[in-house]
Amino acid sequence: AQSVTQLGSHVSVSEGALVLLRCNYSSSVPPYLFWYVQYPNQGLQLLLKYTTGATLVKGINGFEAEFKKSETSFHLTKPSAHMSDAAEYFCAGGLSGNTPLVFGKGTRLSVIA
Amino acid sequence: EAGVAQSPRYKIIEKRQSVAFWCNPISGHATLYWYQQILGQGPKLLIQFQNNGVVDDSQLPKDRFSAERLKGVDSTLKIQPAKLEDSAVYLCASRIGTAQETQYFGPGTRLLVL
């Protein structure tokens, strides 16, 4: 069965510092991978996704993620954190376009002024 | 383009009462999902519809949860009777149903069972 693991339930960075949120997946075939962001009392908003093709994926708000099959990872990065980036981030995966997503437990990002 | 709509946004009930949530997906989206998100965890799939048919309800606690999408558009999720452990955010998501893989999420309904 597929699983998604997010390392670190809480990450704290200073404003302007690099953001790195870690995600590893477990599956026997290359999955579809997503990063979603959830602000308080709101639904999930898609940041970026990997399906096929280029392994470096750029998303909204300056975020990007790289699919590394050899490491079964899909870490999310942003060069410079902004206060507005403070939120809960979820990594999710699916084996095909029609299968339900399996979510990680989430990582709460705090940005310190 | 309007997003996924859900109502109510918040609901407080006592255990053993019943409750219903409503979801209206993005127009034209054939696939609809209901997820349960318990505090501190990621969303977990409850049920997936393709048009008005159920594709996957393997994780739906069928003794107390039910869901329907009669006309293949909007959907309702019901809990009867509710338990304390049902306190969670219930998220509805929709997907166009072709090769476009992105699921679009509604704002969720936050349920508190006392």
Side-chain angles (χ1 to χ4, degrees), chain B residues 42-73:
Chain B
K44 183 188 78 172
L45 179 75
L46 290 175
I47 189 167
Q48 175 186 351
F49 291 95
Q50 182 73 19
N51 297 308
N52 60 349
V54 175
V55 174
D56 184 351
D57 64 354
S58 57
Q59 298 189 77
L60 187 73
K62 297 181 185 66
D63 57 333
R64 298 183 300 106
F65 285 66
S66 64
E68 60 183 15
R69 193 185 184 200
L70 292 176
K71 297 182 179 179
V73 181

Side-chain angles (χ1 to χ4, degrees), chain A residues 23-112:
Chain A
C23 173
N24 289 88
Y25 67 91
S26 170
S27 76
S28 59
V29 296
Y32 292 79
L33 293 164
F34 304 79
W35 276 99
Y36 283 88
V37 61
Q38 187 176 35
Y39 297 100
N41 298 317
Q42 294 187 29
L44 281 72
Q45 179 185 3
L46 180 69
L47 276 178
L48 48 80
K49 65 181 181 182
Y50 168 79
T51 55
T52 59
T55 56
L56 181 62
V57 181
K58 294 186 184 297
I60 62 172
N61 302 338
F63 285 93
E64 62 181 38
E66 186 171 10
F67 171 69
K68 292 187 176 180
K69 185 178 177 181
S70 61
E71 299 177 5
T72 61
S73 69
F74 190 58
H75 302 330
L76 182 70
T77 61
K78 181 174 180 177
S80 176
H82 192 272
M83 297 297 289
S84 61
D85 295 326
E88 189 89 18
Y89 291 79
F90 291 94
C91 182
L95 287 179
S96 72
N98 195 38
T99 56
L101 292 178
V102 174
F103 283 83
K105 291 188 175 182
T107 298
R108 183 164 59 92
L109 175 67
S110 296
V111 182
I112 304 167

